[in-house]
Amino acid sequence: MNQTQQVGYQRTRWLTLIGTVITQFALGSVYTWSLFNGQLSQKLDAPVSQVAFSFGLLSLGLAIASSLAGKLQERFGVRCVTIGAGVLMALGFWLTAHASNLMMLYFSAGLLVGLADGAGYLMTLSNCVKWFPERKGMISACAIGAYGLGSLGFKFICGALLSSVGLEQTFILWGVLAMAMIVVGALLMHDAPLQSAASVRQQHNRDYTLAQSVRLPQYWMLALMFLTACMSGLYVIGVAKDIGEGLVHLSTQIAANAVTVIAIANLSGRLVLGVLSDRMARIRVISLAQIVSLIGMSVLLFTHMNETTFFLSLACVAFSFGGTITVFPSLVSDFFGLNNLTKNYGLLYLGFGIGSVLGSLAASLFGGFTVTFSLIMTLLVISLFLSLTIRLPHGPVTARPVLQRH
C-alpha cells in the first residue's frame, strides 16, 4: 500500500468510526422506553405491565434482527442496510404515535422498532471493529459506549419533548431525529475490507464461516457465557428498584437511585474492560467480569444488605454486564476470525434476547428473587469454569474470496 492509499485507508476507517458512533447513539435511544409506559397506559387504558411488554418484544426483535444483519450486509452493504434501519425506526415510532390498542403498540414499538434497532446495532459495530483489527477492544468500547450514552442523552431529549409537545408528537419527533442521525452516520460508513490470506495465516488460519463455527464446542461454550452475562445483567437491572424496596426496605426515592448507579457502572464497564481487552487476553477479561458479577450476586444472595452494599452489588453486576457485551465481539473474532464476525456473533447474540426473558421467566415460575439469584449464580460459576478452560480453535480453515463493496 503506497502513501496515498494509506492516507485514504486511514481517512475511510476513521470516518466509519465517526459514523458508527453517531448511529449507535441514535440506536441506543430505545432504552429510554420506560419514560413512556405511564402515559401510554393512560392513553390505551391498559395496565403498565402490558404496555411494558412492548419493550420485551423490542429486545427480542433486536436480537433476531442482529442475527440476520450479516446476510443483509453481504447483499446490500453496510450503508444501505443502516439507512433502511433508520427509515424503519422512524416508521415504527410514527405508527407508535398513532397506536390505538395494545396489538398495534406491540407491532410498531415492539416488532418494527426492535427489528430496526437490531439491523443497525450489531452490523455497524462488527463492521467498525473489522476496520481496526489492531485495537478491537477500544473500538468496541467507543461504539457500545455511544449506544449506552444514547439512552442517557435521549432521556433528556424525550423528557423535554414529552413536557412540551405531548406523547404523540414526541414519538414522531424522536423518530425523525433518530432517523436523521442514523442516515448521516450511514453516509460516513464504508464496508470493511476482508482480511488478506496472509493475515488469516498469522492467526493460525482462524477464519470460520458460521456453519463451521457452530460445529466447534468453543462456539457453544462462548454462547453459554454470553447468555449467562445477559441474563444476570438484564434481570438485575430490570428489577433493581424492586430489589431495593423489597429486600433492602429502602424508600422508593432512594431505591430509584439504582438507575443512576447502574448507568455509571455499566458505562464504566464498557470503557474499562473494553480498553483492557486490548492489553491482555480477552478471555481473561471475561473471566474478570464473571468474578466481579459473582461478587455482586453473592452480596445479593448471601448478605443482609444495607443501602451501601445494595448499590455496590448493582454496580458489580452492571459493570460486568457492560464490559462483557463490549468485549464479546472482539472475543468472537479472536476465536473465529474477522471476515465472518457479523454472522458468527449475530447467532450468538440471540442469547441477549433469550437472556432478557429467562430471568423474568424463572422468577415468575419459581417465585421471588432468591431462586432466580441462585440460578444465575450457578450459571456464573459454570461460565467462569468454561472461560478458564476454553482454548482457541486451531483448524485448517482458509479465507474465502468474497467480492467487497467500497
Side-chain angles (χ1 to χ4, degrees):
M1 191 182 294
N2 61 38
Q3 188 173 0
T4 304
Q5 290 173 322
Q6 182 66 31
V7 171
Y9 176 84
Q10 292 294 338
R11 179 176 176 274
T12 300
R13 72 175 189 163
W14 285 105
L15 282 174
T16 298
L17 174 61
I18 293 168
T20 302
V21 166
I22 294 170
T23 298
Q24 292 282 338
F25 189 91
L27 293 173
S29 66
V30 297
Y31 283 89
T32 60
W33 187 255
S34 60
L35 289 175
F36 301 92
N37 285 336
Q39 289 194 35
L40 282 170
S41 173
Q42 291 177 355
K43 178 187 175 184
L44 303 177
D45 193 24
V48 170
S49 59
Q50 292 183 12
V51 170
F53 181 65
S54 57
F55 188 74
L57 290 175
L58 188 154
S59 299
L60 192 59
L62 193 160
I64 292 169
S66 293
S67 69
L68 302 174
K71 281 286 185 187
L72 292 173
Q73 184 185 1
E74 267 187 10
R75 182 164 184 182
F76 302 108
V78 68
R79 185 177 291 176
C80 290
V81 178
T82 304
I83 290 172
V87 173
L88 184 61
M89 178 173 275
L91 175 63
F93 283 132
W94 186 84
L95 289 173
T96 300
H98 297 89
S100 56
N101 55 65
L102 281 173
M103 291 310 296
M104 190 171 174
L105 179 71
Y106 293 160
F107 172 72
S108 58
L111 186 63
L112 291 186
V113 175
L115 290 175
D117 210 71
Y121 167 70
L122 185 59
M123 179 193 62
T124 58
L125 167 63
S126 301
N127 182 69
C128 194
V129 168
K130 291 178 193 175
W131 273 108
F132 294 86
E134 78 284 7
R135 53 182 79 168
K136 293 184 284 189
M138 188 194 81
I139 296 304
S140 291
C142 289
I144 298 179
Y147 190 81
L149 283 175
S151 65
L152 193 61
F154 271 85
K155 177 183 176 183
F156 296 105
I157 294 170
C158 292
L161 286 173
L162 271 174
S163 60
S164 59
V165 299
L167 183 67
E168 287 82 2
Q169 284 300 310
T170 295
F171 277 123
I172 293 170
L173 292 173
W174 178 10
V176 170
L177 178 57
M179 180 180 70
M181 292 180 70
I182 292 168
V183 170
V184 168
L187 294 175
L188 295 174
M189 292 181 207
H190 294 262
D191 284 280
L194 287 172
Q195 277 194 303
S196 66
S199 298
V200 173
R201 279 195 297 272
Q202 286 174 6
Q203 297 183 54
H204 307 286
N205 291 334
R206 276 193 297 279
D207 186 25
Y208 292 83
T209 66
L210 178 59
Q212 292 164 335
S213 297
V214 296
R215 290 199 288 267
L216 295 170
Q218 287 96 330
Y219 192 86
W220 300 107
M221 292 165 78
L222 291 177
L224 180 60
M225 292 181 223
F226 187 74
L227 171 66
T228 301
C230 291
M231 180 181 173
S232 60
L234 293 169
Y235 176 71
V236 172
I237 289 169
V239 298
K241 182 168 168 285
D242 305 299
I243 297 170
E245 292 175 354
L247 290 185
V248 196
H249 308 297
L250 300 176
S251 67
T252 301
Q253 189 174 5
I254 294 175
N257 291 330
V259 176
T260 305
V261 172
I262 287 168
I264 294 170
N266 195 325
L267 183 58
S268 300
R270 295 172 191 226
L271 298 176
V272 172
L273 295 186
V275 172
L276 186 62
S277 71
D278 283 334
R279 290 167 167 75
M280 60 186 286
R282 289 187 179 87
I283 194 65
R284 295 287 79 84
V285 177
I286 296 298
S287 300
L288 175 63
Q290 290 164 338
I291 291 168
V292 172
S293 189
L294 275 168
I295 292 169
M297 294 305 301
S298 298
V299 172
L300 287 171
L301 197 54
F302 301 123
T303 69
H304 184 71
M305 285 184 290
N306 55 36
E307 183 180 337
T308 303
T309 55
F310 166 63
F311 288 130
L312 175 65
S313 66
L314 293 185
C316 286
V317 174
F319 180 91
S320 172
F321 172 63
T324 298
I325 63 172
T326 300
V327 174
F328 242 83
S330 303
L331 181 67
V332 172
S333 75
D334 290 344
F335 273 77
F336 309 111
L338 272 171
N339 285 336
N340 298 295
L341 174 60
T342 307
K343 286 185 281 189
N344 284 334
Y345 184 46
L347 177 61
L348 197 144
Y349 197 78
L350 284 173
F352 185 94
I354 297 168
S356 68
V357 299
L358 262 187
S360 301
L361 186 63
S364 61
L365 285 176
F366 303 111
F369 301 122
T370 307
V371 174
T372 312
F373 290 162
S374 301
L375 174 60
I376 291 171
M377 189 93 175
T378 304
L379 288 172
L380 279 170
V381 171
I382 294 170
S383 294
L384 179 59
F385 173 77
L386 293 178
S387 73
L388 293 173
T389 56
I390 194 171
R391 296 291 179 265
L392 291 170
H394 294 282
V397 185
T398 54
R400 296 178 304 157
V402 178
L403 290 175
Q404 189 66 33
R405 293 176 181 82
H406 292 286

